Amino acid sequence: MIGAGQAGLSAGYHLRRTGFRPGSGFVILDGDDGPGGAWQHRWPTLVFDRVHGFHDLPGLPLPPVQPHRPAAEQVRAYFAAYERTFELPVRRPVRVRAVGSRPDGRLDVHTDQGRWVARALINATGTWTRPFWPHYPGRASFRGRQLHTADYRGPAEFTGLRVVVVGGGTSAVQLLGEVSTVAAATTWVTRRPPEFRDEEFGPELGRAAVARVDEAVREGRPPGSVVGVTGLPVTPEVRRLRERGVLDRLPVFDRITPDGVAWADGRFVPADVILWCTGFRAAIDHLAPLGLRAPGGGITMDGTRVVADERIHLVGYGPSASTIGANRAGRAAVNEIRAWLAPAPALD
């Protein structure tokens, strides 16, 4: 298995539970220096009461949290305890470079720490290591600072600066709210008008979001954003930002100049910083030698199984790219692999 975030740990739990032996039957290769998955890299000002949903890993509930303590610290401790409790065979830091096929039908997993051979592979690498930077004319000419959500460490470094925040997702709104308290000016731009949702996020809306993404991956298209289906929740914080005028959004600019951003109609906004809250893409480049991509640009899936190669399962990808979805996907992938490999799951 590749990846020890929520999806990887969930799959590891089910591998142990269904009889795969740690070490000889399965290993978990993780590229990070310690436990925590992508959560350990979240910005320190993301405290737990601002996290939009977090579900327990199977078999071990999340201990009581401190609402105003950084989510990264608490989730890191929880994941570390989970690995210890179930004695999961996590090897780290191990960075997977490429996965290819052997003549005998097994998989070659090439890493910076050597090579592993496997009959099946669960990929749980998530998206955090692949921030998406859209291209706009003039981006290279900008004299100020450009950073992505993945680089954000808190609002203090934006004090007194003019900041353009790009993106229409939940993270964009959160970071815009923080930065606006210290910046000289903030400008929010999005490709489409944001759709705010006043009603509570319930099961029906959740099922609609999952179904939309599931349809995309079954057709071999790249999975889209859940926010595109569910909209942005109107929280008390969002209401405060509206009252302050922080959420007075502009359509995205047409080009970037050395000193700011510009529109074709002549509008110009000066900027010292452009903060790209433009999302992430699936971190699956290491699977390229297997030729899994469909003509639509994505990977055609049937549940967690890759249609083009039944040895490969993707968890935390597409419809399972959520904390509860990752848990379910881990169990489903293990059940399918167990049936496919029966009666001999152990690796050589």
Side-chain angles (χ1 to χ4, degrees):
M1 188 190 320
I2 307 173
Q6 179 129 10
L9 295 183
S10 172
Y13 168 85
H14 289 291
L15 284 166
R16 285 217 61 173
R17 193 166 177 265
T18 55
F20 287 80
R21 295 188 305 274
S24 61
F26 77 100
V27 294
I28 304 173
L29 308 180
D30 188 54
D32 278 307
D33 293 329
W39 284 94
Q40 66 190 288
H41 304 297
R42 307 286 185 182
W43 50 99
T45 50
L46 179 63
V47 293
F48 217 97
D49 68 352
R50 299 184 69 195
V51 171
H52 291 289
F54 182 89
H55 292 269
D56 296 341
L57 285 161
L60 185 68
L62 176 71
V65 300
Q66 300 177 37
H68 303 299
R69 182 181 162 203
E73 296 177 6
Q74 300 184 76
V75 175
R76 186 165 58 235
Y78 174 47
F79 282 13
Y82 196 85
E83 292 179 15
R84 292 193 303 269
T85 299
F86 297 106
E87 299 179 334
L88 297 179
V90 181
R91 308 285 187 264
R92 63 166 60 94
V94 178
R95 295 171 178 84
V96 176
R97 304 303 189 197
V99 179
S101 286
R102 292 167 55 94
D104 62 6
R106 294 184 296 174
L107 296 161
D108 257 334
V109 182
H110 297 272
T111 81
D112 63 350
Q113 301 295 321
R115 187 186 73 173
W116 275 261
V117 178
R119 291 188 178 92
L121 174 72
I122 297 176
N123 190 85
T125 45
T127 62
W128 187 260
T129 59
R130 276 205 66 199
F132 175 63
W133 297 75
H135 173 75
Y136 284 93
R139 201 181 90 180
S141 71
F142 185 62
R143 287 195 286 257
R145 181 187 178 196
Q146 299 184 62
L147 72 160
H148 192 274
T149 307
D151 308 307
Y152 181 80
R153 304 309 300 162
E157 59 189 307
F158 303 96
T159 301
L161 302 178
R162 300 164 298 180
V163 183
V164 174
V165 178
V166 186
T170 303
S171 293
V173 173
Q174 286 185 348
L175 271 54
L176 175 64
E178 291 189 7
V179 170
S180 67
T181 63
V182 299
T186 59
T187 303
W188 185 31
V189 301
T190 68
R191 287 194 301 121
R192 294 182 296 272
E195 189 172 320
F196 287 97
R197 169 177 47 80
D198 287 298
E199 73 275 16
E200 187 177 346
F201 185 88
E204 185 175 342
L205 195 58
R207 285 192 293 268
V210 170
R212 181 79 63 85
V213 179
D214 184 63
E215 178 184 0
V217 298
R218 285 183 181 275
E219 295 177 356
R221 293 181 281 116
S225 166
V226 172
V227 170
V229 179
T230 63
L232 293 162
V234 179
T235 62
E237 180 183 8
V238 165
R239 293 190 181 95
R240 289 192 293 270
L241 294 178
R242 279 176 167 173
E243 292 171 0
R244 291 171 47 209
V246 175
L247 299 184
D248 294 340
R249 160 263 180 196
L250 293 175
V252 74
F253 43 78
D254 296 292
R255 60 190 176 89
I256 300 172
T257 73
D259 302 309
V261 295
W263 286 257
D265 63 3
R267 186 198 306 260
F268 173 78
V269 170
D272 304 299
V273 179
I274 301 175
L275 176 54
W276 297 91
C277 299
T278 44
F280 299 79
R281 298 295 183 263
I284 52 177
D285 289 349
H286 54 282
L287 302 179
L290 298 172
L292 304 179
R293 289 197 182 273
I299 296 177
T300 306
M301 306 288 297
D302 182 6
T304 64
R305 178 175 56 84
V306 174
V307 171
D309 193 329
E310 61 184 350
R311 300 171 298 179
I312 311 298
H313 285 256
L314 306 183
V315 297
Y317 174 86
S320 65
S322 66
T323 57
I324 189 168
N327 285 352
R328 292 170 176 168
R331 180 177 64 248
V334 169
N335 287 341
E336 283 209 30
I337 289 173
R338 177 74 185 186
W340 182 66
L341 290 179
L347 303 179
D348 286 347

